Structure formats: structure tokens, C-alpha cells
Amino acid sequence: MFGKRVNVRVLKTNWKELNLLIVNSSWTLNLMKKSNSTKICLGIEATADDFGVGLLDFEGNVLANVNNAFIPETGGIHPREAARHHAKVAGRVITEAFQAAKIDPCDVTVIAFSQGPGLGPCLRTGATAARALASYLNVPLVGVNHCVAHIEIGKLATGVKDPVTLYVSGGNTIVSAFDAGRYRIFGETLDIAVGNCLDVFAREAGLRPRDGVPLGAAVENLATKGETFVHLPYSVKGMDLSFSGLLTAGVRLLKKGKYRLEDLCFSLQEVAFSMLTEVTERALAHTEKTELLLTGGVGANKRLQMMLKIIADEHDVSYCVVPKQYALDNGAMIAWTGILAHEHGTSIPIEKSFVRLKWRLEDVDAPWVKV
Ligand code: AMP
Ligand code: MG
């Protein structure tokens, strides 16, 4: 049934489910005719809790951006449970994306997937889907660095060209800027990501992600009702940050039951976001870039947006925040970065498309960036 033979050893994770996905999907018979000449990339995001599929044309128009998030019954994300979720919903999400874009699978020119960094089982499931599709449709496969993708979608969506970027999410906290062919890291977390800090605190407080409202947003809502600042540890080490002590102290005060949850949420945000703002401001001063970009899921937070606006104004730089639909992990950002990489000659043979759990932002050549 496949256009060419694939290395089954590479595909062993969840292969059965994904094979079924392709056999069962209604669009499998529709491979005969290409409906138009527009070049299109399908991007698959599956680094952690989200399984997302984006379809973009090579001009950067988003034709579809469909996401299905894994929400655990209790506790945090268990990588294997999340991967099982991804394998279960993959067929549906891919089909929905094609329907939303009103295109056929045969219209796809390139398949891109999040190759890393991320959780092994989740990455492997997304990669398996991508390899299967690339093989089936007989199109090139491009492995995309998830952190680069957050920056590139921010640039596409806001029009900034050469920013200092604060990328804040559930798994990453990075201050970066482009220099000499790569996105360089100027500061990063030494332990947990800021989103993880907010999420764990929220869970300890008994909050649950409800109606698609992420835990970080639940903390944000409560923080708006905070009145009293409670002292919590502020931990910036040079250009790097540490959030684990802040989380431990916050949870300890929470368990004491002496403070209003609203005040603790307010204080947690104030301290965490001040730390981020301090490091970002130093990166701006050092690089002398004239643009500042806020991206990643935590970038949806209004208080963080406001704090960064203050430093942007003080340094007289233009300031952009990634729109909400592209702030959280999404397939569109993978598709767009896949297009940029593919247009600069990057693709990866299926048998070499192993996932890279710890693939660092600064290890990725970005020949498409011209500054
Ligand atoms: P990502 O890893 O990019 O998908 O982003 C997910 C992270 O963003 C999680 O830690 C969420 O709790 C966090 N998040 C989403 N919305 C908000 C918000 N409004 N304020 C703070 N954190 C948020
Ligand atoms: Mg996510």
C-alpha cells in the first residue's frame, strides 16, 4: 500500500495504530490527482501534551491548524499516556486538518514533524505518523526543532525580523537572539520551565484544566484578584533562571493555609515574571536588537505581556506578542519551519529521522534567516 518501502525498525513505536490510521482514513483513496499547483506543508507537533497538525502554503498562509491536547485525569503529563493519546487521535486530527483546509492529501508537498526536544514517547508517535505520511505520499520529510518553530511562527505572525525572543512554555524557558547562522541562547532555566512551575503550583492548589483553559491561565485569573504581595525566592543566576525554589516555597506557603490563594498566585506571577523580564532586558541591552518577541504558551499571560512592554518601551524597541492561537504548541509552527528548512535544502531520509529528545536551539543551523 505504500509508495515505497520504509524501514519498519524506525517505525516500530505505535506503528500498528498509525498503520490503521492510514488504512481506515477516508482520504486514502484520494491520491490519484493533484488538485492545484500550490505548494503545501503538513506539520505535526507532538513534543508533549499536544498533538497538533498544521497545513500551510509556502507563502505562509495557514490553511488549517488543528490541535488535540492530552488532559490527564490526575497529576502531570505521563509521557507514555500522552503518546497513547496522540496515537489514538492522530488519524482524526490529520483528517480534520485536511477538511478545514479543503485540500486533499495529494496536495501536500512536504511533511514536517517536531523532531525534538521533547518527551520520547510523544516525539516518537508524532515522528511515526510523519514518516508514514511522507512514505505514503512519497514526499520529503523535514525534522523541525520545536524551539526554533516557536520563534519562527512568532516572526511569521507578527512580522518581526530579528528580535530578542522570550520563549516561555510548559517545557522550555529561553531568551534567545539570532547571531552567526543560529539562534543563540542568552539565558535559560537551569531546572524547570516557568510554565511547569505555574502548572504544578496550580495542581497543588487543586485547580484543574477546565474547558480548554490551561492551568497557567487559571493561575492568571486568580492572580488578578490578588491584593497582598507574599515574599517568595527570586532566583536569577547571571543570565540563567531557576524556578524550582520558587515553586517549593509557593507550595509550602499554600499548604500552611495562612494565605489567600489569589495572593499566592499574584505573588508567584510577580516574582517569576520579574525574573524573566530582568534577563530579557539584559539580552536586549547586550545584543542591541531593536525588536522584542514574546512567544510560547505562557506568552498568553497578560501580566507578563505588560511587564515586557515596559522594558520594550524603556529600550525603545518594537514589541510583539505571538497571537494566542500560535502561543501554545501547534502544528502550524512546525509546518512553517518545515517550509523554511525545506526551501533551504533541508530534508531527512526516513531511516535517519530519529527523534532528538535534548535537541538544543543553538545546535540548529538556520540558513533561511537573513539579518
Ligand atoms: P506550550 O508548552 O507552549 O504548549 O504552553 C503550555 C504552557 O503554557 C502551560 O504551562 C500552560 O499552563 C501555560 N499557559 C497557557 N496559558 C497561560 C496563561 N494565560 N498564563 C500563564 N501560563 C499559561
Ligand atoms: Mg503543550
Side-chain angles (χ1 to χ4, degrees):
M1 81 180 226
F2 290 102
K4 64 181 178 199
R5 288 190 74 79
V6 293
N7 181 345
V8 175
R9 266 186 314 140
V10 179
L11 302 176
K12 65 183 176 205
T13 311
N14 296 316
W15 170 243
K16 209 165 132 202
E17 289 93 330
L18 289 159
N19 198 0
L20 283 172
L21 163 178
I22 288 173
V23 173
N24 290 340
S25 294
S26 56
W27 46 265
T28 52
L29 298 174
N30 218 351
L31 279 169
M32 301 304 289
K33 183 169 89 34
K34 210 166 167 44
S35 52
N36 63 48
S37 58
T38 309
K39 291 210 255 171
I40 290 169
C41 179
L42 180 147
I44 296 181
E45 158 58 31
T47 52
D49 57 334
D50 293 293
F51 186 87
V53 174
L55 284 161
L56 266 77
D57 68 23
F58 277 40
E59 304 295 312
N61 298 305
V62 179
L63 311 177
N65 190 29
V66 182
N67 192 62
N68 192 311
F70 167 65
I71 301 174
E73 291 285 314
T74 54
I77 306 165
H78 187 296
R80 277 199 305 278
E81 282 174 16
R84 229 170 279 136
H85 160 271
H86 296 349
K88 199 163 134 208
V89 302
R92 199 176 346 130
V93 177
I94 293 167
T95 305
E96 274 173 36
F98 280 123
Q99 285 167 351
K102 298 193 175 57
I103 61 161
D104 288 328
C106 60
D107 294 324
V108 171
T109 323
V110 180
I111 302 286
F113 71 105
S114 50
Q115 197 177 2
L119 306 172
C122 302
L123 285 171
R124 280 189 281 274
T125 304
T128 304
R131 291 174 196 130
L133 285 170
S135 174
Y136 184 54
L137 299 171
N138 202 16
V139 295
L141 181 67
V142 179
V144 167
N145 180 288
H146 175 88
C147 307
V148 171
H150 269 288
I151 298 172
E152 292 301 347
I153 196 73
K155 286 166 64 180
L156 175 71
T158 65
V160 292
K161 297 275 180 280
D162 183 25
V164 165
T165 302
L166 173 61
Y167 160 41
V168 274
S169 73
N172 297 285
T173 303
I174 298 175
V175 178
S176 72
F178 189 83
D179 187 45
R182 293 182 177 186
Y183 289 105
R184 309 287 165 175
I185 297 177
F186 285 85
E188 63 187 321
T189 181
L190 296 170
D191 41 52
I192 58 173
V194 63
N196 189 234
C197 174
L198 297 175
D199 293 349
V200 175
F201 179 82
R203 275 198 293 274
E204 290 289 332
L207 303 174
R208 293 266 308 131
R210 235 176 262 128
D211 304 328
V213 178
L215 285 171
V219 171
E220 178 179 26
N221 287 338
L222 287 166
T224 57
K225 299 177 196 117
E227 287 160 4
T228 310
F229 181 74
V230 181
H231 279 280
L232 289 167
Y234 182 101
S235 186
V236 172
K237 303 175 184 203
M239 283 296 281
D240 292 327
L241 308 121
S242 163
F243 294 99
S244 60
L246 172 62
L247 172 61
T248 307
V251 170
R252 197 178 301 134
L253 294 183
L254 179 74
K255 301 288 174 200
K256 273 191 178 165
K258 264 176 48 188
Y259 302 94
R260 290 172 68 229
L261 180 57
E262 291 84 348
D263 290 338
L264 288 175
C265 289
F266 166 68
S267 308
L268 190 73
Q269 278 199 175
E270 290 303 298
V271 174
F273 297 166
S274 301
M275 288 160 52
L276 293 167
T277 306
E278 179 192 330
V279 172
T280 307
E281 181 173 18
R282 268 210 299 278
L284 267 180
H286 174 74
T287 60
E288 297 182 348
K289 301 263 183 194
T290 56
E291 296 168 320
L292 174 60
L293 171 68
L294 174 60
T295 191
V298 184
N301 188 291
K302 294 275 179 294
R303 179 61 182 144
L304 178 59
Q305 292 176 8
M306 197 188 295
M307 284 192 186
L308 288 183
K309 168 98 176 57
I310 294 168
I311 57 158
D313 288 348
E314 276 177 10
H315 288 258
D316 200 20
V317 301
S318 54
Y319 171 51
C320 291
V321 180
V322 71
K324 209 168 175 183
Q325 69 269 33
Y326 306 122
L328 292 159
D329 295 341
N330 61 86
M333 68 184 193
I334 302 299
W336 176 237
T337 311
I339 290 168
L340 296 172
H342 178 261
E343 288 293 81
H344 285 78
T346 307
S347 68
I348 188 168
I350 287 183
E351 61 278 12
K352 291 198 177 141
S353 60
F354 297 104
V355 297
R356 304 175 68 175
L357 276 60
K358 302 212 180 289
W359 195 12
R360 282 176 67 75
L361 174 70
E362 63 202 355
D363 291 340
V364 185
D365 285 326
W368 57 86
V369 183
K370 306 277 180 244
V371 291

